[in-house]
Amino acid sequence: MNQQKIALLTDSCADIPQALLHRYDIHVVPLKLIFSDGEYADGVDITPTEVYRRLPTEIPKTTLPDGASVERAFARIREAGYTKVLAINFSSGLSGTHNLVRLIGEQTPGLEVAAFDTLSGSLGTGMTVLQAARWIEEGWTWEELLRALPPLMQDTTVFFCVDTLEYLQKGGRIGRITAVAGTLLQIKPIISFTEEGELVNTAKMRGRKAAMQKMVQLAAACVPRGIRFNLAVAHGDSPAELKEIRSLAQQSLPDYQNCMEGEIDCTLGAYVGPHLLGIGVQMMENALKAAGKEK
């Protein structure tokens, strides 16, 4: 138990490794996937590998966590002796999870809940939750955390590429013309997030090797020399290529404070299909200044 009695709550799209969830006692509410044979809780009743295996024959619908699971999460947090909660969730531009958690948090007696919309995806959300966990472990106050998190999220940038735009197109998240052109020419789009938390194309490269190199270049360009930053890489059904992009990232950005490695969850796997690769960077200077912690 940390002295401030501050808990962390996020959703299954944060893609934080299990060992870190346990270390920091991070609470997770799962999103839902609906296949023809029933409903599954992301990461609880079904794994990403199982989702990828089923995608060629059926693309599931995805839904928010049910209200009861969010209520139970807050109840467990309260029963564990926490009095405050930082709820840090997946982009509201792609999911209503943030608003659901915020509304239930406001109605939960005995807890002070501050809900944050990362306006980012897997890596952006996961990096933010883990940095908040480190600060809590260091003894930061509730007020310091509330001041630091908005600039931390604003200074977090994520890039990812997918093997095909087929699944994003079928989900209505990317235009049909872009999807067809990318498939025919083996063009690999590099995608990021707008300020509103929606997906946007930032570059197009021919082939995955070139896309990996471009993503690393884009990420490195976000990090000013001498600044403190976190690094993250992730994959969906491509563990060998994860090692490759991690090596490229660490060569280009060797001075990172922390490096998170994630595997894309079931929900995002259903959105984008197999073979996603991603990289994220998170600058900490403005957050530290906001909290009065700059050195």
Side-chain angles (χ1 to χ4, degrees), residues 2 8 16-17 20 23-24 26 86 88 125-140 145 149 152 229-232 256-261 282 284:
N2 57 70
L8 284 165
I16 299 170
L20 294 176
R23 174 181 172 181
Y24 294 114
I26 297 167
L86 296 175
I88 301 170
T125 303
M127 280 195 292
T128 301
V129 173
L130 288 175
Q131 188 54 53
R134 296 182 198 105
W135 286 337
I136 291 171
E137 191 174 63
E138 292 171 10
W140 282 35
L145 291 163
L149 281 170
L152 183 72
F229 69 96
N230 293 323
L231 178 65
Y256 59 87
Q257 302 280 302
N258 304 280
C259 183
M260 168 186 157
E261 293 184 25
Q282 180 176 71
M284 291 188 285

Side-chain angles (χ1 to χ4, degrees), residues 3-288:
Q3 292 182 346
Q4 296 287 322
K5 297 184 179 180
I6 301 169
L8 284 165
L9 176 69
T10 190
D11 56 70
S12 56
C13 291
D15 298 337
I16 299 170
Q18 283 292 326
L20 294 176
L21 293 176
H22 291 308
R23 174 181 172 181
Y24 294 114
D25 194 26
I26 297 167
H27 299 257
V28 179
V29 290
L31 277 73
K32 303 279 187 172
L33 295 93
I34 303 173
F35 283 95
S36 56
D37 64 349
E39 183 178 274
Y40 298 84
D42 186 349
V44 178
D45 305 320
I46 193 168
T47 67
T49 300
E50 291 169 332
V51 171
Y52 297 134
R53 190 182 70 242
R54 299 176 68 160
L55 282 180
T57 56
E58 183 180 9
I59 299 176
K61 296 179 180 178
T62 59
T63 68
L64 308 181
D66 61 80
S69 68
V70 178
E71 290 172 353
R72 287 194 297 270
F74 280 124
R76 288 193 298 270
I77 288 170
R78 187 176 53 213
E79 289 165 5
Y82 293 105
T83 58
K84 298 178 174 65
V85 184
L86 296 175
I88 301 170
N89 293 107
F90 186 58
S91 172
S92 64
L94 296 175
S95 169
T97 303
H98 161 71
N99 284 327
L100 175 67
V101 171
R102 177 182 58 81
L103 289 171
I104 293 177
E106 290 173 352
Q107 299 165 8
T108 301
L111 290 175
E112 183 177 355
V113 180
F116 292 91
D117 178 0
T118 62
L119 297 174
S120 187
S122 160
L123 291 180
T125 303
M127 280 195 292
T128 301
V129 173
L130 288 175
Q131 188 54 53
R134 296 182 198 105
W135 286 337
I136 291 171
E137 191 174 63
E138 292 171 10
W140 282 35
T141 67
W142 177 249
E143 291 73 19
E144 289 167 344
L145 291 163
L146 296 185
R147 293 198 301 270
L149 281 170
L152 183 72
M153 293 186 296
Q154 188 172 7
D155 291 342
T156 300
T157 305
V158 170
F159 301 98
F160 67 93
C161 71
V162 292
D163 201 35
T164 173
L165 287 170
E166 172 188 358
Y167 298 99
L168 283 170
Q169 185 268 325
K170 287 180 177 178
R173 298 174 188 278
I174 274 188
R176 185 178 181 84
I177 295 174
T178 305
V180 171
T183 300
L184 290 176
L185 301 175
Q186 289 300 302
I187 298 297
K188 304 304 177 187
I190 296 174
I191 300 168
S192 189
F193 288 84
T194 67
E195 292 182 357
E196 294 76 32
E198 298 177 348
L199 298 180
V200 61
N201 284 344
T202 58
K204 297 177 183 178
M205 305 300 293
R206 188 182 294 275
R208 286 175 68 83
K209 297 286 187 184
M212 276 193 275
Q213 292 171 351
K214 183 63 174 179
M215 281 194 295
V216 172
Q217 291 173 4
L218 290 169
C222 294
V223 183
R225 185 180 298 274
I227 202 168
R228 283 167 284 186
F229 69 96
N230 293 323
L231 178 65
V233 291
H235 78 100
D237 201 35
S238 295
E241 287 182 310
L242 174 71
K243 296 179 181 178
E244 194 171 344
I245 194 168
R246 179 185 63 205
S247 177
L248 288 170
Q250 291 178 339
Q251 289 173 25
S252 294
L253 293 160
D255 298 325
Y256 59 87
Q257 302 280 302
N258 304 280
C259 183
M260 168 186 157
E261 293 184 25
E263 180 178 5
I264 297 303
D265 57 277
C266 300
T267 301
L268 294 179
Y271 283 168
V272 303
H275 306 140
L276 175 145
L277 289 170
I279 182 171
V281 288
Q282 180 176 71
M283 280 63 72
M284 291 188 285
E285 298 301 319
N286 289 328
L288 294 169

